[in-house]
Amino acid sequence: MSYNGRGKTHGGKPARSGGQVSRTGLKEGELPFYKQAANILARLERREGSIKNLTIGNDDIKDEDKRTIYALICQTLKFAPVLTRVLDANKVMKKEKLGRRAELLMANDMLLSSQGLRRKDADPKMNKAMSRHESSLKRELNRIRQEVRARNDEDLVPLHLRDGASTFRYVRVNNLVSNMDKVLEHFYKEGYEIVTPSRDELHDVLQVRARKLMRDLDLDDVLVFPPGTDLHAHRLFVTGAIILQDKASCMPAHVVQPTPGSTALDACAAPGNKTSHMVSMMGNEGKVFAFDMDRFRLNTLVKLTDKAQCKIIEAKCANFLELDPLDPEYASVEFALLDPSCSGSGIVNRMDVLVDSYIALSQDADQVAKPETDKARLASLAEFQTSIVLHAMRFPNIKRISYSTCSVHEEENEAVVARVLAAQSEFALAPRDQVIPSWPRRGLESSGLTEDQAACVVRTLPEDGTNGFFVAGFVRQTPADLNRIREELKALANTDKSAMLPPKDDAEAEAAPDMDAPYRGNKRKAAGGAKPVKKEKRHDKKPKPASAVVPSTKSKGKKRPKRKESVADS
C-alpha cells in the first residue's frame, strides 16, 4: 500500500526514521521548533487566541515557519486522541519528561508525517529522547490500527474531527475558464451521480464522501458535494475551472450583482475568492479595484486570481478608509463588495472543534472555562465595520453595496445595518427579491431592524450545512450629496488614524492555508509564492495609476498588520 501524503498507511512503506539528529542552527534566544509549537498548544488550552492568530499572526515565529507550525498544530490536534493513547501506553511522558505537548507534536511527525522528526531548528536532545521509543510507539499505533480496522490514517480520527465532517463541500464554477454544463459533464463521466434532493433531504442524500453531487438550490454557479469530498488534486481545481469556496462566501457577489463592463471595488479583498467571483460574473469585462492593507495577503490575491484567469483586477495595498472617494480614478465605481474584519464566530470548518476536543483531553478540562463573548471587542469591530460601509457610500457613483461578515453576532450584523441606515439617507436596504430570495433563513428582527428590513438580509448557520455568515445589500436611492461628502472627508482628516484600523487579533478566516489539504511533514513550503506588493500611497499623495501590481524584491523589514485572512472556503 502506498504512502498517502499524511503518513504511512497500515502496511505501507515506513516513514524516515526520526532518530537522525543534527545541529539546530538556532540563533541565541530562539526556542527549538517543537518547544515553540508546544507553547502555542499551551496558549490554546488557555484560549488566548485562535490557531491562526497564534501562528500566522505571531511575530515571534519566523515567517518561513509560520505555516508549517500552523499545519503541524492542526494535524496534531486532529490526531490528538489516538496519539494520546499511543503515548500513554508507552509511558513516554513519565520516562523522558519532554512535556506532554511536545510529545504529542513529535509523535505526530514521527508516526504520521512523511518526513519523520524535524531536525532543522529542533533540539537534538529532544529528538534523541523521543527516538529511543520509536519502535514501541509504532507497534502501539499499529495495534490501534488493527483494533479499529483502519484502512488509512483518516480512519484513526474520531468522526466528528474528520475533515469536512460538519459542512458540505461547495464548489463554485469559474465561468472565466469553464461553465456549469461542462463541469457537470466532467464529473458525470468520472462516475459521480447527479442528484436533485429537496432542502430537507440534503443531509440524507449527500452523506459523507458519497460519490454524488447536486446543483445548489440558491446560487446558479455553485455545486454541492458530500462532506469530506477532497477535490484539491482534481484537474478542474488545478486548472482553475472550479473554486473551492463555501456557499455562504459566494453570496456577497450575488448580492452586489456587478454587471459586465462596469467598475467595482473590493474593500478588504485578500485572499481574493470573492474578488474573482465578481470578475467571473462580469465576464472579465470592466475593472475591479482590489484593496488590502497587507501586501503579503495581497500577493495571495494576485496568485489566486491569476489562477482563476482574472484579467481586470487592479490590486492596491491600501487602507480603504484612507482612500479619497472623490478621486477621479474612482469616479466610475458603481459596485462595492465589503467583507471587513470580524470576529469569525461563524467559521466552523477551521479548527475550533479540534481545539475543544484537545482541551477536553488535556489537564483539568473542567477548569478551562470558555470565555464569554468580549462585548468591548465586538463593539470595536462593529464601529470599524460601520465606518467601512459608510465610507463606501461616499463614492458618489456607487449604486449597489454588499456587506458581509463570517460572524453570527447581532452586534456585527443587524446592528451594523441599523446604524448605517440611521446615519444616512442616500442608501436603503436592497429588497428581498434581490438578496438570495430563495434562501429561507433571514435576519433577526432586533437591533433596530423592522420585520420587513430583517427579511431583506440573509443569515446562515452551521446547521444549514455552511459556515455562519451574514449578508446585506444596500442600493442608492438619491444622488450623492458632494458637499456633505467633502465635509465628512474634512472631519475624517482630523481623526486619529488608529480609528481607521481594524481591532487587533481579528479573525483570520480567509488567508490561512487550506487545512482540508493534508499536512505533509516538516518540509511543507509556505504558501503564496507571489512577490511582495508595493504599498499604495494615500490620497493626500496622489497614487500612480500604473499597473495592478508593482513587484519588489524586498519587504524592507516592515511587520505585517494583524488582520483577518480567508483561503479555501472563504
Side-chain angles (χ1 to χ4, degrees), residues 310-342:
C310 299
K311 307 296 183 185
I312 61 172
I313 295 174
E314 181 168 343
K316 295 190 175 189
C317 190
N319 183 344
F320 178 70
L321 289 176
E322 294 185 0
L323 296 179
D324 183 357
L326 301 181
D327 189 321
E329 184 176 14
Y330 308 123
S332 61
V333 175
E334 297 178 276
F335 303 93
L337 190 152
L338 313 177
D339 188 60
S341 299
C342 70

Side-chain angles (χ1 to χ4, degrees), residues 257-311:
Q257 302 173 10
T259 54
S262 64
T263 301
L265 68 79
D266 190 339
C268 311
N273 278 342
K274 297 181 186 72
T275 317
S276 71
H277 196 180
M278 283 201 295
V279 176
S280 178
M281 296 178 72
M282 295 165 68
N284 252 341
E285 298 178 10
K287 187 171 189 177
V288 175
F289 291 102
F291 303 103
D292 203 274
M293 293 171 57
D294 189 329
R295 64 181 177 277
F296 292 89
R297 298 180 72 250
L298 203 60
N299 285 327
T300 301
L301 177 144
V302 172
K303 180 181 178 181
L304 292 181
T305 56
D306 280 352
K307 177 183 175 183
Q309 297 189 23
C310 299
K311 307 296 183 185

Side-chain angles (χ1 to χ4, degrees), residues 204-425:
D204 293 331
V205 174
L206 296 180
Q207 296 182 0
V208 175
R209 290 185 176 79
R211 204 165 176 80
K212 298 179 180 180
L213 79 155
M214 63 173 285
R215 294 192 65 164
D216 186 72
L217 299 173
D218 308 290
L219 306 179
D220 59 11
D221 54 358
V222 173
L223 293 172
V224 191
F225 290 78
T229 303
D230 187 358
L231 298 171
H232 291 86
H234 195 279
R235 179 169 173 258
L236 294 180
F237 174 69
V238 173
T239 59
I242 60 174
I243 310 292
L244 305 185
Q245 185 173 355
D246 188 70
K247 173 178 178 172
S249 176
C250 294
M251 289 181 174
H254 281 280
V255 171
V256 74
Q257 302 173 10
T259 54
S262 64
T263 301
L265 68 79
D266 190 339
C268 311
N273 278 342
K274 297 181 186 72
T275 317
S276 71
H277 196 180
M278 283 201 295
V279 176
S280 178
M281 296 178 72
M282 295 165 68
N284 252 341
E285 298 178 10
K287 187 171 189 177
V288 175
F289 291 102
F291 303 103
D292 203 274
M293 293 171 57
D294 189 329
R295 64 181 177 277
F296 292 89
R297 298 180 72 250
L298 203 60
N299 285 327
T300 301
L301 177 144
V302 172
K303 180 181 178 181
L304 292 181
T305 56
D306 280 352
K307 177 183 175 183
Q309 297 189 23
C310 299
K311 307 296 183 185
I312 61 172
I313 295 174
E314 181 168 343
K316 295 190 175 189
C317 190
N319 183 344
F320 178 70
L321 289 176
E322 294 185 0
L323 296 179
D324 183 357
L326 301 181
D327 189 321
E329 184 176 14
Y330 308 123
S332 61
V333 175
E334 297 178 276
F335 303 93
L337 190 152
L338 313 177
D339 188 60
S341 299
C342 70
S343 66
S345 57
I347 302 296
V348 294
N349 59 355
R350 294 186 310 179
M351 293 292 147
D352 301 333
V353 175
L354 294 186
V355 173
D356 290 343
S357 174
Y358 168 70
I359 290 175
L361 278 173
S362 64
Q363 67 201 358
D364 299 325
D366 293 338
Q367 297 178 19
V368 186
K370 293 185 178 181
E372 295 183 358
T373 301
D374 187 344
K375 296 295 184 182
R377 173 166 167 70
L378 287 179
S380 179
L381 280 166
E383 184 177 357
F384 172 75
Q385 293 153 352
T386 302
S387 67
I388 288 283
V389 181
L390 291 176
H391 194 61
M393 291 177 172
R394 297 187 182 104
F395 287 71
N397 290 313
I398 280 184
K399 59 185 182 183
R400 193 172 184 91
I401 294 170
S402 70
Y403 167 70
S404 59
T405 73
C406 51
S407 170
V408 297
H409 297 309
E410 288 183 52
E411 293 92 331
E412 301 176 270
N413 299 331
E414 288 87 355
V416 167
V417 170
R419 289 172 66 180
V420 167
L421 293 175
Q424 52 76 49
S425 58

Side-chain angles (χ1 to χ4, degrees), residues 78-314:
K78 177 179 173 181
F79 285 91
V82 68
L83 292 174
T84 298
R85 285 188 62 187
V86 169
L87 292 169
D88 284 348
N90 287 268
K91 310 300 180 184
V92 174
M93 297 180 185
K94 295 180 180 179
K95 290 181 179 179
E96 300 295 352
K97 299 181 180 179
L98 295 174
R100 173 180 49 83
R101 303 178 189 96
E103 288 164 354
L104 283 170
L105 294 159
M106 297 174 78
N108 177 85
D109 273 353
M110 175 182 284
L111 304 175
L112 302 170
S113 162
S114 61
Q115 303 297 330
L117 284 177
R118 178 184 174 106
R119 291 177 292 172
K120 181 184 177 183
D121 297 339
D123 184 337
K125 293 181 180 180
M126 293 177 65
N127 280 15
K128 187 174 181 179
M130 194 73 182
S131 297
R132 281 196 287 266
H133 304 272
E134 182 173 1
S135 296
S136 60
L137 290 172
K138 286 183 175 179
R139 282 197 302 271
E140 179 61 21
L141 180 61
N142 284 334
R143 188 194 65 77
I144 295 174
R145 289 182 194 277
Q146 294 173 3
E147 176 186 310
V148 301
R149 298 181 180 180
R151 296 164 298 175
N152 51 47
D153 287 341
E154 190 74 10
D155 288 344
L156 297 171
V157 181
L159 286 174
H160 70 288
L161 298 182
R162 294 183 186 178
D163 293 334
S166 58
T167 61
F168 297 115
R169 162 57 74 191
Y170 294 96
V171 167
R172 174 168 63 83
V173 175
N174 180 10
N175 291 316
L176 302 178
V177 177
S178 188
N179 60 54
M180 179 62 75
D181 289 340
K182 290 180 179 179
V183 169
L184 282 172
E185 182 181 7
H186 190 107
F187 281 112
Y188 179 76
K189 289 181 178 179
E190 287 186 349
Y192 281 85
E193 179 186 355
I194 301 174
V195 296
T196 57
S198 67
R199 201 179 299 275
D200 293 336
E201 297 171 327
L202 287 179
H203 289 277
D204 293 331
V205 174
L206 296 180
Q207 296 182 0
V208 175
R209 290 185 176 79
R211 204 165 176 80
K212 298 179 180 180
L213 79 155
M214 63 173 285
R215 294 192 65 164
D216 186 72
L217 299 173
D218 308 290
L219 306 179
D220 59 11
D221 54 358
V222 173
L223 293 172
V224 191
F225 290 78
T229 303
D230 187 358
L231 298 171
H232 291 86
H234 195 279
R235 179 169 173 258
L236 294 180
F237 174 69
V238 173
T239 59
I242 60 174
I243 310 292
L244 305 185
Q245 185 173 355
D246 188 70
K247 173 178 178 172
S249 176
C250 294
M251 289 181 174
H254 281 280
V255 171
V256 74
Q257 302 173 10
T259 54
S262 64
T263 301
L265 68 79
D266 190 339
C268 311
N273 278 342
K274 297 181 186 72
T275 317
S276 71
H277 196 180
M278 283 201 295
V279 176
S280 178
M281 296 178 72
M282 295 165 68
N284 252 341
E285 298 178 10
K287 187 171 189 177
V288 175
F289 291 102
F291 303 103
D292 203 274
M293 293 171 57
D294 189 329
R295 64 181 177 277
F296 292 89
R297 298 180 72 250
L298 203 60
N299 285 327
T300 301
L301 177 144
V302 172
K303 180 181 178 181
L304 292 181
T305 56
D306 280 352
K307 177 183 175 183
Q309 297 189 23
C310 299
K311 307 296 183 185
I312 61 172
I313 295 174
E314 181 168 343

